[in-house]
Amino acid sequence: MIRRRRGFTLIELLVVIAIIAILAAMLFPVFARARESARKIQCLSNVKNIATAVQMYLTDYDRFPPNNKDKEFLDWLDEQGGGGCIPYGYGRYNGANPYLRWPVILDEYVKNRDVWQCPSVQHVSSAGWIVPQYTPVWWWYLRDNGFGDCGGPCCRSYPPGWGGAVTDSIGQNQLSYDSPGTFTMTIGANNNCLYNRKTAEVDDASNWVVCADNQQGTELNTMFGMAYGNAECCWGLEGDDVDRFYNDASFRSKYAPHLGGLNIGFADGHAAWWQAEAAVLAAGTSVCCGPPNYDSCVQTPGTQFKGMCPFYEVHDNLP
């Protein structure tokens, strides 16, 4: 007798495909969480390295990075009417000076600029405005030559060497955003509340935030913005989703960088992952200020983190 080989029937094939689909649906989220857990650890290591660099800087100088003190420059900057600068306080003055950006100041301690990267953070900030030092005072070059396409002196200004092939945005008539080798960062570090503050004035270094994953920008603005970003400009949400973003913690948790949380580095050199809502509550509604007006800072009683900006400034709907 001749035995004929029997293959799968259509029903059997469909059953096998269905089983594979069910297993895949069960395993893919597990793989995604495992991948994100690995990214969280990688980013935590980078945040830790930056916090350690800050601590080394404090050991050498006994104070945090300086702020602008050139009155002639400050007066000139006021005349520009903002020009891309933060329109209040010392943040705009320090942001205008490419040599006072924390990544630039900490570069000799960090050694590797890749530590400013976190692949899970969506907001990428790039060095755009490269200001050369062709004059004895760096900002005279801007004063004498204008701002080119950047629109103002605070257009993410950085010194030469941070813009890839762009070393002079005015002379080359080119911003460096898309230039190969341009410095980019997704971990924020510029803290206006700490500029020029002496180490002795930091009463509890383990609670002063010096760097963190940041979904909204390079500066340590509000903890809410660092953890979640902004519904409209960061994520393009519209209508009811905007209200849900600002009022429903369970809805916005997916917008945090790492499994509903973010990595935060502190002035004592330690770093830790924080659940996003817990971090927002720990920051409270403290008022961010800068030198020399530290006495005007307001800290919400009972909150843990020091020197953060107001929670309620992120969006009008917030309390």
Side-chain angles (χ1 to χ4, degrees):
M1 295 179 64
I2 299 175
R3 300 182 62 182
R4 302 181 63 181
R5 299 182 63 182
R6 180 174 178 273
F8 285 110
T9 67
L10 179 59
I11 297 299
E12 291 172 333
L13 185 61
L14 291 176
V15 169
V16 170
I17 293 174
I19 292 173
I20 293 175
I22 292 172
L23 291 175
M26 294 173 59
L27 292 177
F28 283 168
V30 175
F31 293 150
R33 288 185 65 86
R35 182 181 64 178
E36 188 51 50
S37 294
R39 287 181 173 179
K40 181 181 76 172
I41 294 172
Q42 175 190 346
C43 293
L44 180 61
S45 176
N46 289 349
V47 169
K48 167 67 175 176
N49 285 339
I50 296 170
T52 301
V54 172
Q55 191 178 41
M56 294 169 62
Y57 181 93
L58 293 175
T59 300
D60 287 345
Y61 296 97
D62 196 31
R63 66 171 63 237
F64 286 90
N67 57 287
N68 275 308
K69 299 179 181 178
D70 184 344
K71 185 178 185 305
E72 183 182 4
F73 166 73
L74 300 181
D75 291 342
W76 172 79
L77 188 60
D78 279 336
E79 295 173 1
Q80 309 313 305
C85 303
I86 298 174
Y88 57 83
Y90 276 75
R92 66 177 293 206
Y93 300 146
N94 294 322
N97 189 334
Y99 299 95
L100 291 184
R101 292 191 176 275
W102 281 32
V104 176
I105 292 174
L106 298 176
D107 198 43
E108 63 178 298
Y109 300 95
V110 171
K111 302 299 184 182
N112 184 352
R113 295 177 186 173
D114 288 340
V115 302
W116 295 95
Q117 300 292 334
C118 177
S120 295
V121 174
Q122 300 301 309
H123 184 103
V124 178
S125 177
S126 303
W129 178 252
I130 306 301
V131 182
Q133 184 132 15
Y134 293 159
T135 57
V137 181
W138 70 270
W139 65 271
W140 290 358
Y141 187 64
L142 299 182
R143 179 195 64 187
D144 298 338
N145 294 277
F147 306 128
D149 293 333
C150 204
C154 297
C155 184
R156 297 182 188 174
S157 57
Y158 280 83
W162 293 75
V166 179
T167 58
D168 177 358
S169 288
I170 296 176
Q172 296 172 257
N173 193 28
Q174 182 182 356
L175 301 180
S176 65
Y177 293 127
D178 299 323
S179 175
T182 295
F183 172 72
T184 61
M185 61 187 297
T186 51
I187 296 176
N190 296 355
N191 190 330
N192 298 328
C193 303
L194 288 175
Y195 272 113
N196 209 40
R197 188 185 285 260
K198 292 182 179 180
T199 306
E201 296 176 326
V202 177
D203 53 350
D204 184 358
S206 64
N207 284 318
W208 281 89
V209 179
V210 295
C211 57
D213 298 330
N214 199 336
Q215 291 282 48
Q216 195 165 12
T218 61
E219 292 190 348
L220 304 183
N221 37 49
T222 67
M223 183 60 71
F224 186 94
M226 290 158 58
Y228 299 116
N230 181 287
E232 296 93 333
C233 67
C234 294
W235 304 113
L237 299 181
E238 298 178 350
D240 294 340
D241 284 342
V242 174
D243 291 331
R244 291 184 65 192
F245 181 88
Y246 290 111
N247 296 288
D248 185 346
S250 62
F251 174 79
R252 62 176 173 252
S253 64
K254 62 185 176 183
Y255 295 99
H258 305 292
L259 305 174
L262 73 164
N263 297 311
I264 304 174
F266 299 88
D268 67 344
H270 91 278
W273 178 87
W274 275 73
Q275 196 271 341
E277 287 300 306
V280 169
L281 291 175
T285 56
S286 56
V287 175
C288 181
C289 58
N293 302 314
Y294 289 131
D295 291 339
S296 65
C297 296
V298 177
Q299 186 73 34
T300 305
T303 52
Q304 181 174 350
F305 294 161
K306 311 292 184 181
M308 295 304 300
C309 295
F311 173 46
Y312 54 81
E313 279 192 358
V314 180
H315 195 272
D316 293 339
N317 290 353
L318 295 175

